[in-house]
């Protein structure tokens, strides 16, 4: 039997837990839905994924709301077609000038896009070894981008489980928690929101669970 290579052992990290994998999948879905309109494949997948049942005898209020929001999103996906989803996405998030729904953290934290919160985010991303994808023109404080960062932090096996948890908590508390509620409020109030009102309810319920978890002592 060969002796273990100490250099190899030095890079062994804790595997990602089932819970963190599930959380990463929620962040990935939010990132996808808020970056572009869902296509037929995604709508079909969501339509087939409803009926989330909670087995816990005494579920938290957050868990109940999340199950309801998930089932509502899946039901809305079954009734939505890709063309209508694209039209709604463009009406809410596109257009010339300021869109109906602004999706950048700086807007909610500082009142304008490309403000100091974006500078802080870029500094923190650099410290994590992350940067905007080449060719991507949208600023890093886009809600889809920060959700994708959380996905990466949850599944980064180059860090130990403790390091991953600390990085996630810091990033969420600084760059998502202070403004996701205001974004969801704007979507909920948007006259043109139909499918994306369901996306907003799902986003709020999941991120509320994430925020509640920060208050629990390890």
């Amino acid at each position: 039997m060969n002796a273990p290579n100490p250099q190899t052992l030095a890079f062994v990290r804790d595997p990602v837990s089932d819970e963190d994998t599930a959380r990463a999948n929620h962040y990935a879905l939010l990132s996808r839905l808020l970056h572009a309109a869902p296509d037929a494949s995604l709508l079909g997948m969501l339509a087939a994924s409803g009926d989330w049942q909670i087995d816990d005898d005494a579920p938290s209020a957050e868990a109940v709301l999340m199950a309801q929001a998930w089932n509502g999103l899946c039901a809305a996906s079954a009734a939505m077609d890709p063309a209508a989803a694209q039209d709604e996405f463009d009406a809410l998030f596109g257009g010339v000038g300021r869109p109906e729904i602004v999706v950048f953290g700086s807007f909610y934290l500082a009142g304008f896009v490309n403000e100091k919160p974006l500078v802080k985010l870029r500094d923190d991303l650099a410290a994590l070894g992350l940067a905007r994808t080449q060719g991507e023109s949208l600023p890093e404080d886009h809600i889809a981008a920060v959700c994708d960062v959380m996905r990466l932090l949850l599944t980064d096996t180059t860090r130990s489980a403790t390091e991953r948890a600390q990085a996630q908590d810091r990033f969420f508390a600084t760059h998502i928690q202070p403004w996701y509620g205001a974004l969801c409020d704007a979507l909920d109030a948007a006259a043109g929101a139909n499918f994306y009102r369901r996306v907003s309810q799902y986003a709020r319920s999941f991120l509320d669970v994430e925020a509640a978890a920060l208050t629990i002592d390890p």
Side-chain angles (χ1 to χ4, degrees):
M1 179 176 178
N2 294 331
N5 183 337
Q7 196 168 26
T8 301
L9 292 178
F11 290 92
V12 172
R13 290 288 186 265
D14 299 328
V16 177
S17 68
D18 291 343
E19 178 185 354
D20 281 357
T21 299
R23 291 171 59 210
N25 286 336
H26 283 296
Y27 277 112
L29 177 58
L30 282 176
S31 179
R32 170 63 182 82
L33 288 170
L34 292 164
H35 185 265
D39 57 15
S41 176
L42 180 55
L43 288 171
M45 182 199 76
L46 288 170
S49 301
D51 196 26
W52 182 344
Q53 301 293 325
I54 300 177
D55 297 328
D56 194 338
D57 291 336
S60 67
E62 291 89 356
V64 172
L65 290 173
M66 186 172 175
Q68 293 172 343
W70 174 260
N71 291 333
L73 174 62
C74 293
S77 298
M80 179 62 65
D81 67 77
Q86 185 66 63
D87 288 344
E88 183 175 335
F89 184 91
D90 291 343
L92 291 171
F93 306 112
V96 178
R98 176 178 158 181
E100 181 174 2
I101 303 297
V102 181
V103 289
F104 301 104
S106 290
F107 176 80
Y108 296 97
L109 296 174
F112 299 94
V113 297
N114 296 319
E115 287 292 325
K116 287 183 179 179
L118 177 58
V119 176
K120 167 64 174 169
L121 173 59
R122 286 173 173 164
D123 288 343
D124 288 350
L125 290 175
L128 291 167
L130 300 173
R132 183 168 53 184
T133 302
Q134 186 174 6
E136 176 59 72
S137 60
L138 295 173
E140 293 89 336
D141 60 344
H142 191 296
I143 184 62
V146 293
C147 283
D148 200 45
V149 171
M150 284 297 293
R151 176 189 66 81
L152 290 169
L153 294 177
L154 279 156
T155 56
D156 180 8
T157 55
T158 67
R159 306 173 196 269
S160 69
T162 299
E163 291 168 337
R164 285 198 301 271
Q166 291 172 344
Q168 295 158 35
D169 289 353
R170 285 194 300 267
F171 189 87
F172 180 86
T174 304
H175 300 296
I176 297 179
Q177 188 174 12
W179 66 279
Y180 76 81
L183 170 60
C184 291
D185 288 345
L187 266 172
D188 290 345
N194 178 18
F195 176 78
Y196 272 90
R197 186 169 289 114
R198 293 296 190 177
V199 174
S200 172
Q201 292 165 358
Y202 162 58
R204 188 196 299 273
S205 64
F206 170 64
L207 296 174
D208 281 351
V209 170
E210 292 284 277
L214 289 181
T215 67
I216 300 173
D217 292 331

